[in-house]
Amino acid sequence: MRMRAAVLHETGQDKLEVLDDVEAMGFGPGKVRIRIRATGLCHSDLSAMNGVLPQPAPFVPGHEGAGEILDVGDGVTGLTQGDRVLMCWLPACGGCPSCKRGQTHLCLAGFLNAGTPNFRRPGGEVFGFAGTGTFAEEVVVAANCAVPIPDDVPYEIAALIGCGVTTGLGAALNTARVAAASSVAVIGCGGVGISVIQGARACGAAQIIAVDPVAARREAALRFGATEAVAPDELADAKARITGGEGFDYVFEVVGRSATARTAYETTRRGGTLCVVGAGALDDSFQVNMFELFFDEKRILPSLYGGGDVLRSYERAIALWRAGRIDLEGLITHRVRLAEVNDALDQMRSGTSLRTCIEI
Ligand SMILES: [Zn+2]
Ligand SMILES: [Zn+2]
């Protein structure tokens, strides 16, 4: 069945074309067909479009989505037609060494399919970003990519939990395990950085310093629980003033560049924690010399997709949202239809949006 999807024809292009001749392919045993209702635009989608993250083209971007099950393939258990689900782009197989350890976010089994096209159109086959591709009316994915959501969670909120919120909250709760009354700095305050801030607040941090060059994001950070917000060139001063020059207990890098990671390392106190959340490039290397690595005993903790059991992370995000301890509605700063997806890309590039919700 033909449907609409937004396609990037070649890596490096900055516009998507919304086509109505696309077909989701691969339905069969172990698979489900999902009617996408809402999808968020995540910075990783832009990074895949411009080539920072490896992704074959042409492809349909989008990996943060939610919708309802249209069809269930043979052998699928626990899902039925009409179920409301969020999409997990990093599904757990349940049987590999990482899954058995409870580190389901490190399972690569689902990623083996990411090199297989998810869509086709008269012009040829089309990939889906990270094996999903939610800028489409329908997707076909492995059943373990579809996670049922409670009835009180709207699609647009579930979509955000599918990537950005889980990534940011998990960095604070699972990876860094922010301690009560500690000092925290968060470098990069888009949707993921704001989720780190909300996670640090939920953990009881005393000071949360938001660092971002965009004034609108600094203002947003204050609404979501930052105790202070500064531009990058004010960070050294804030470190001296707030920590007496020692550095922060926790610094989160939510940009994905070696330069900001180095700044974050230098802003972390001796014995403190640098948590790297940003998704960076293969050719951008982070350097630490062997003396400082040993002598300053700073813990460098990367955090991939929330750094913990993925389903447990979703449940915790929903529990905190339901209790009013994190604000997810407020993360959605723009709403567009699929036909206006290029406007959403421009807003993301301008740095003014936290999350754009695309209704499909
Ligand atoms: Zn696994
Ligand atoms: Zn993402």
Side-chain angles (χ1 to χ4, degrees), residues 259-283:
T260 40
R262 184 65 214 184
T263 299
Y265 183 81
E266 288 163 9
T267 310
T268 306
R269 71 163 166 83
R270 294 184 69 217
T273 297
L274 161 60
C275 185
V276 180
V277 188
L282 285 165
D283 59 356

Side-chain angles (χ1 to χ4, degrees), residues 40-45 53 62-64 89 129 160 162-165 167 192 305 355:
L41 171 58
C42 180
H43 205 273
S44 301
D45 296 308
L53 294 178
H63 57 288
E64 187 180 89
W89 57 269
F129 177 40
L160 301 188
C163 185
V165 167
T167 299
V192 177
Y305 201 27
R355 265 297 184 272

Side-chain angles (χ1 to χ4, degrees), residues 34-35 37-38 65-70 78-87 145-159 318 321-322:
I34 300 174
R35 171 67 174 91
R37 294 292 177 190
E68 61 193 273
I69 302 267
L70 292 180
L79 292 169
T80 49
Q81 198 180 2
D83 279 357
R84 304 168 72 254
V85 295
L86 71 74
M87 294 263 302
C145 293
V147 180
I149 51 173
D151 288 343
D152 64 330
V153 181
Y155 286 127
E156 59 191 38
I157 297 299
I318 291 170
W321 166 77
R322 207 179 256 151

Side-chain angles (χ1 to χ4, degrees), residues 18 59 84 100 122 178 192-193 209 232 239 299:
V18 179
F59 73 95
R84 304 168 72 254
K100 285 178 176 166
V178 170
V192 177
I209 312 307
K239 172 186 162 189
R299 297 184 300 157

Side-chain angles (χ1 to χ4, degrees), residues 27-28 31-33 69-77 79-81:
F27 183 73
K31 299 289 187 73
V32 293
R33 184 189 301 277
I69 302 267
L70 292 180
D71 264 317
V72 176
D74 289 343
V76 174
T77 55
L79 292 169
T80 49
Q81 198 180 2

